[in-house]
Amino acid sequence: MPEETRVDVLIVGAGPAGVMCANALAAAGIRVKIMDQRPSRVVSGHADGIQSRTIEVLQSYSFAERLFKEGHQMHMFAFYNPDSDGVLVRTGRSPAINAPTARYPFWILLHQGGIESIFTDSMAGHGLTIDRPVAPALIELSNDSEQLADMFSYPVKVRTSPGVGAVER
C-alpha cells in the first residue's frame, strides 16, 4: 500500500513555474508537494531567458545575485533571415529591454536547468524536494458535502504512478 501524504497544495510539474510556486509556498509555511514525470531536471534549452521585470521578482526572493553570477546579460536581440540567395543576413536589431522603467535594462540568459536549480536549492532549505519520476494517475474528489465544506479536510485524493522514464519495481 503506497504511503499517504497530506498536503495543502500539490503541484504537478517541476518546470520554472512549478518550482517557483513550490518555493514560495514552502517559504510561507504551506505544506506542499511537487512532482514531475521527468526522471531529472531539464539540462538545457527550454525556458532560457529571464526578462527584466522577472529579475526584479526573483530579486525579492534574494535570487538576483545568483542569477547574475551564473547567467549572462543580454542587452540586444539580433534577427537573421535568409536573403534572396538563401544566405542568412542580419535583418534587424532590438534592445532587450521590454519595460523602460525596469531596474535592469537587460535580460539574463541561463538555461532552464540552471534556473530550476536556483529554486530547488532554495526549496531544499525548506525541506522540500521534487518527487521524480512521478505523475498523477487518478484524482478522486469526495462526494461528502460536509467534508467538501470543511476547510481543514482533505477531500481530494491523488493516486500516482511512475512517470516518463521510470522503472517500476
Side-chain angles (χ1 to χ4, degrees):
M1 183 90 169
E3 176 185 330
E4 185 174 290
T5 305
R6 291 183 177 217
V7 295
D8 297 315
V9 177
L10 172 64
I11 297 171
V12 179
V19 293
M20 183 173 185
C21 182
N23 184 70
L25 291 170
I30 306 293
R31 289 183 300 176
V32 62
K33 186 174 203 57
I34 181 169
M35 65 176 65
D36 196 283
Q37 68 179 355
R38 296 171 297 171
S40 63
R41 69 178 173 86
V42 171
V43 292
S44 65
H46 286 294
D48 297 340
I50 301 173
Q51 295 180 358
S52 50
R53 289 289 189 207
T54 305
I55 298 168
E56 293 174 1
V57 171
L58 296 179
Q59 183 182 31
S60 72
Y61 288 101
S62 302
F63 296 160
E65 183 178 325
R66 186 162 166 194
L67 278 174
F68 295 141
K69 181 179 177 186
E70 296 179 20
H72 302 280
Q73 293 182 16
M74 181 178 66
H75 293 265
M76 184 74 64
F77 290 107
F79 302 95
Y80 292 83
N81 289 292
D83 66 11
S84 59
D85 296 323
V87 176
L88 279 182
V89 295
R90 189 174 72 200
T91 56
R93 292 188 329 177
S94 174
I97 187 72
N98 58 340
T101 59
R103 178 174 181 183
Y104 303 105
F106 50 81
W107 285 34
I108 294 285
L109 298 181
L110 180 62
H111 65 87
Q112 181 175 331
I115 295 166
E116 291 174 8
S117 289
I118 292 172
F119 285 104
T120 56
D121 291 350
S122 179
M123 288 167 29
H126 301 293
L128 180 60
T129 59
I130 300 168
D131 289 351
R132 295 185 187 270
V134 177
L138 178 67
I139 299 174
E140 299 174 15
L141 178 61
S142 172
N143 291 322
D144 181 339
S145 59
E146 286 184 28
Q147 187 180 30
L148 291 170
D150 180 359
M151 63 187 271
F152 297 106
S153 73
Y154 293 89
V156 179
K157 288 184 181 179
V158 177
R159 299 192 190 280
T160 61
S161 65
V164 174
V167 177
E168 288 195 56
R169 298 175 197 268

